[in-house]
Amino acid sequence: MQTTAAPYVLVGQRDPLVTRVRVVLNMLGSDELDRPLAEVLRGIQRANHLPVTGDLDEGTLVALDMTAH
């Protein structure tokens, strides 16, 4: 499966997908992709040799074993 680097949710945006990610990561917060969550995502991206953006994109969701929208 080929993944795209186009983000689904950018840092600072709100989306129900952010809530799903927080559940997977056992991380409290709202549906906003805030700075603390972005830092966690950057660590996941680094560990999985993905572009380190802090945004939610397809590659990051794959690394989290999640499917997109």
Side-chain angles (χ1 to χ4, degrees), residues 1-2 8 14-16 18 21 24 26 28 32 34 41 43 47 50 55 60 64 66:
M1 174 172 79
Q2 185 176 9
Y8 295 123
R14 293 183 176 276
D15 192 282
V18 174
V21 169
V24 168
N26 195 27
L28 296 176
E32 179 184 356
D34 57 14
L41 294 178
L50 298 168
D55 299 327
T60 304
L64 291 169
M66 295 178 67

Side-chain angles (χ1 to χ4, degrees), residues 6-60:
Y8 295 123
V9 185
L10 300 170
V11 175
Q13 291 181 329
R14 293 183 176 276
D15 192 282
L17 182 58
V18 174
T19 303
R20 290 179 46 214
V21 169
R22 286 185 186 280
V23 169
V24 168
L25 296 174
N26 195 27
M27 192 173 179
L28 296 176
S30 69
D31 64 348
E32 179 184 356
L33 203 171
D34 57 14
R35 286 183 187 198
L37 178 56
E39 282 303 313
V40 170
L41 294 178
R42 285 184 188 101
I44 291 166
Q45 292 163 341
R46 248 184 246 97
N48 287 278
H49 309 288
L50 298 168
V52 180
T53 62
D55 299 327
L56 275 175
D57 56 25
E58 188 173 353
T60 304

